[in-house]
């Protein structure tokens, strides 16, 4: 038995697939965030559940990194995608009525949107938003925040996953590109002011997750308002990366929740219930600078922008949100989960802070509420990973990656939350015993 399969005797077929993958896929995963110490190979998913190739069932609170908001194979979405597959998947000319319908929906629901362009992923959208900001301002530099993830392109990888002492932060990232980026601490408005005092005339944009779910941080009162004031004062653009918050926090996203209008907004993930679809939205005066408009000079292209299957899924997903009490259900279950986890931590006498908002939650093993990414880096990561792995072993999937958030879906029920909390109590006791021995 190979070293990779040694610990996976409970996953016989999954372990075999892992060995096949290691021969043909670098590291056996198509994204650096998909590797875990569990050799799970998923065979199918329905509603709030997954089944692996060994027949094990998992109650899913991972939701594909927040992309699944309604549930796996949600009927309205699955039916729309199947119907579209019989009409046209990709035509590559002009526009389809469904693309126009989706853009109209985005403009109707996102407060700052007057026009919208579609993309295959949130990473594509943030890349184009930064390019547009540079064109509008004729400046090169951007400001981002430690722990916030905006995609794997060179301009935003600094301090996305760990502490950054000024180095590029990832092998192969273009040094010249990284030098145009200044990283501040989330919630540190004075630090942002200091950067603008020193380099304000060079800064094209501030890009920020309005709720930093990638870092399990919530904005302190006045933080987002302060960013809006600073960027306006210096003529920089404010970009809200709502790839996670868009359509998960509400139809209007985080900007609707906080009543703050950014200059540009990126959307994705929950927008299409797991299909590869994203968008960049903003006012016409900025969006019209893209070369999709006659006379526009900012490049914007992509063979799969507006892919028929993804557009059909997005229209169906948002349609369900328009008709049904999706966000009320998500928030109620999210509140139950957060309250239950706090009680479990007290019962187990484990210092913990439960973070999150709406459908998203996380239990962090620390004795102080985190306000910055520096606080997050002090969380007890070994206990966190042990706890998450114990959850998976008991059939409840919360991604066993360092400090990764979890979330509820519209398909989850109160009984599902009850089971997850019961499992969490046993998993935390087992993890504490394993890490303290």
């Amino acid at each position: 038995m190979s070293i990779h399969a040694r610990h996976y005797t409970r996953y016989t077929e999954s372990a075999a697939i892992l060995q096949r993958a290691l021969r043909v896929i670098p590291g056996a995963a198509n994204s650096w965030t998909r590797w875990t110490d569990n050799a799970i190979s998923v065979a199918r998913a329905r509603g709030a559940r997954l089944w692996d190739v060994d027949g094990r069932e998992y109650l899913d609170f991972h939701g594909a990194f927040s992309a699944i908001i309604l549930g796996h194979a949600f009927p309205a979405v699955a039916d729309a995608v199947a119907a579209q597959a019989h009409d046209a998947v990709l035509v590559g000319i002009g526009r389809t009525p469904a693309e126009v319908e989706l853009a109209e929906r985005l403009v109707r629901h996102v407060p700052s949107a007057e026009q919208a362009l579609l993309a295959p992923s949130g990473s594509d959208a943030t890349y184009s938003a930064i390019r547009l900001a540079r064109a509008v301002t004729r400046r090169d530099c951007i400001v981002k925040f430690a722990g916030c993830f905006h995609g794997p392109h060179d301009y935003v990888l600094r301090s996305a996953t760990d502490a950054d002492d000024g180095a590029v932060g990832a092998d192969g990232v273009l040094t010249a590109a990284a030098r145009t980026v200044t990283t501040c601490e989330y919630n540190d408005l004075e630090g942002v002011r200091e950067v603008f005092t020193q380099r304000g005339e060079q800064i094209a944009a501030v890009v920020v997750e309005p709720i930093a779910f990638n870092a399990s941080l919530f904005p302190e009162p006045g933080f987002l308002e302060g960013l809006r004031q600073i960027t306006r004062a210096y003529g920089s653009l404010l970009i809200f990366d709502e790839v996670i918050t868009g359509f998960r926090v509400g139809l209007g996203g985080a900007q609707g929740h906080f009543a703050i209008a950014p200059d540009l907004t990126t959307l994705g993930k929950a927008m299409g219930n797991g299909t590869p679809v994203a968008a960049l939205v903003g006012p016409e005066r900025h969006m019209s600078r893209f070369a999709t408009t006659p006379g526009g000079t900012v490049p914007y292209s992509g063979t799969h922008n507006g892919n028929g299957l993804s557009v059909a899924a997005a229209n169906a997903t948002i349609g369900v949100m328009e008709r049904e009490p999706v966000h009320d259900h998500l928030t109620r279950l999210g509140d139950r989960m957060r309250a239950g986890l706090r009680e479990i931590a007290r019962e187990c006498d484990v210092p913990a802070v439960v973070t999150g908002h709406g459908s998203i939650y996380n239990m962090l093993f620390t004795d102080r509420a985190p306000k910055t990414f520096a606080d997050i880096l002090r969380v007890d990561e070994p206990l966190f990973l042990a706890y998450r792995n114990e959850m998976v072993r008991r059939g409840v999937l919360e991604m066993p990656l360092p400090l990764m958030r979890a979330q509820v879906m519209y398909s989850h029920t109160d009984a599902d939350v009850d089971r997850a909390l019961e499992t969490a109590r046993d998993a935390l006791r087992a993890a504490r015993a394993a890490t303290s021995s």
Side-chain angles (χ1 to χ4, degrees):
M1 182 177 293
S2 81
I3 188 170
H4 294 284
R6 187 169 55 202
H7 303 294
Y8 304 136
T9 54
R10 297 169 65 185
Y11 304 95
T12 305
E13 185 61 27
S14 290
I17 290 176
L18 170 61
Q19 292 307 302
R20 289 172 53 197
L22 285 167
R23 289 192 291 271
V24 293
I25 300 173
N30 278 298
S31 173
W32 83 59
T33 55
R34 294 185 190 177
W35 176 268
T36 75
D37 290 333
N38 301 277
I40 297 172
S41 294
V42 175
R44 62 189 179 94
R46 296 289 185 278
R49 284 162 172 76
L50 306 170
W51 290 265
D52 67 19
V53 294
D54 293 289
R56 294 195 69 197
E57 178 183 306
Y58 302 85
L59 186 55
D60 183 16
F61 288 93
H62 170 46
F65 299 98
S66 308
I68 308 296
I69 188 168
L70 300 179
H72 297 285
F74 196 82
V77 180
D79 291 347
V81 171
Q84 186 64 42
H86 289 284
D87 290 337
V89 173
L90 190 66
V91 293
I93 186 171
R95 79 291 311 151
T96 66
E99 289 176 72
V100 179
E101 178 185 349
L102 178 53
E104 289 171 340
R105 277 192 155 105
L106 298 177
V107 169
R108 182 164 67 248
H109 291 303
V110 181
S112 65
E114 293 176 0
Q115 293 188 329
L117 283 170
L118 300 179
S121 73
S123 299
D124 292 279
T126 57
Y127 185 92
S128 293
I130 291 169
R131 173 182 283 169
L132 179 57
R134 289 183 166 132
V136 169
T137 62
R138 298 300 177 189
R139 303 171 183 174
D140 290 336
C141 299
I142 65 168
V143 171
K144 72 174 296 286
F145 296 91
C148 290
F149 182 74
H150 307 291
H153 45 92
D154 287 7
Y155 297 112
V156 290
L157 266 180
R158 290 189 69 165
S159 297
T161 57
D162 54 18
D164 187 350
D165 60 2
V168 170
D171 198 16
V173 170
L174 185 65
T175 303
R179 286 174 180 163
T180 65
V181 181
T182 297
T183 303
C184 294
E185 280 284 3
Y186 193 83
N187 280 323
D188 180 9
L189 199 57
E190 289 308 310
V192 178
R193 287 197 180 100
E194 182 178 344
V195 168
F196 269 86
T197 297
Q198 296 171 353
R199 304 183 64 191
E201 300 305 317
Q202 304 170 23
I203 297 172
V206 171
V207 57
V208 63
E209 294 180 65
I211 304 176
F213 283 133
N214 276 307
S216 294
L217 296 171
F218 197 82
E220 293 282 293
F223 176 63
L224 297 177
E225 292 86 349
L227 294 181
R228 179 68 284 181
Q229 292 168 1
I230 293 169
T231 50
R232 279 182 176 152
Y234 282 86
S236 303
L237 299 194
L238 178 61
I239 302 171
F240 271 11
D241 181 348
E242 297 222 44
V243 170
I244 297 177
T245 55
F247 296 101
R248 181 168 280 278
V249 170
L251 281 168
Q255 61 194 262
H257 177 77
F258 293 113
I260 298 174
D263 297 296
L264 299 172
T265 302
T266 59
L267 304 160
K269 290 190 187 291
M271 172 179 159
N273 197 48
T275 54
V277 63
L280 168 58
V281 305
E284 182 180 2
R285 69 182 184 278
H286 294 330
M287 299 294 289
S288 63
R289 299 179 71 112
F290 280 117
T292 55
T293 300
T297 58
V298 181
Y300 190 90
S301 65
T303 299
H304 287 282
N305 294 353
N307 179 282
L309 302 184
S310 297
V311 170
N315 275 319
T317 299
I318 299 172
V320 172
M321 296 178 186
E322 292 168 340
R323 298 188 303 270
E324 300 183 26
V326 172
H327 296 101
D328 289 343
H329 181 78
L330 292 175
T331 298
R332 186 179 65 81
L333 292 189
D335 287 344
R336 281 201 61 211
M337 187 69 80
R338 286 184 288 272
L341 290 173
R342 290 186 186 105
E343 181 59 30
I344 287 168
R346 284 192 293 269
E347 288 179 15
C348 296
D349 194 27
V350 175
V353 173
V354 180
T355 67
H357 177 82
S359 62
I360 292 183
Y361 65 93
N362 206 353
M363 183 160 63
L364 303 173
F365 301 112
T366 176
D367 58 1
R368 56 187 288 185
K371 294 182 179 181
T372 69
F373 192 53
D375 295 332
I376 292 294
L377 293 175
R378 288 190 284 268
V379 170
D380 188 340
E381 186 176 305
L383 179 57
F384 181 91
L385 292 175
Y387 163 74
R388 284 289 181 85
N389 277 298
E390 290 292 342
M391 292 287 283
V392 174
R393 291 187 188 100
R394 289 165 169 78
V396 176
L397 178 59
E398 293 179 354
M399 194 66 171
L401 285 178
L403 313 180
M404 177 60 63
R405 67 192 176 277
Q407 43 267 310
V408 295
M409 310 176 200
Y410 190 44
S411 293
H412 280 123
T413 66
D414 283 284
D416 292 332
V417 172
D418 290 340
R419 177 187 162 192
L421 290 173
E422 290 170 4
T423 304
R425 182 178 289 104
D426 295 338
L428 182 53
R429 286 172 177 161
R432 184 181 60 177
T435 55
S436 61
S437 59

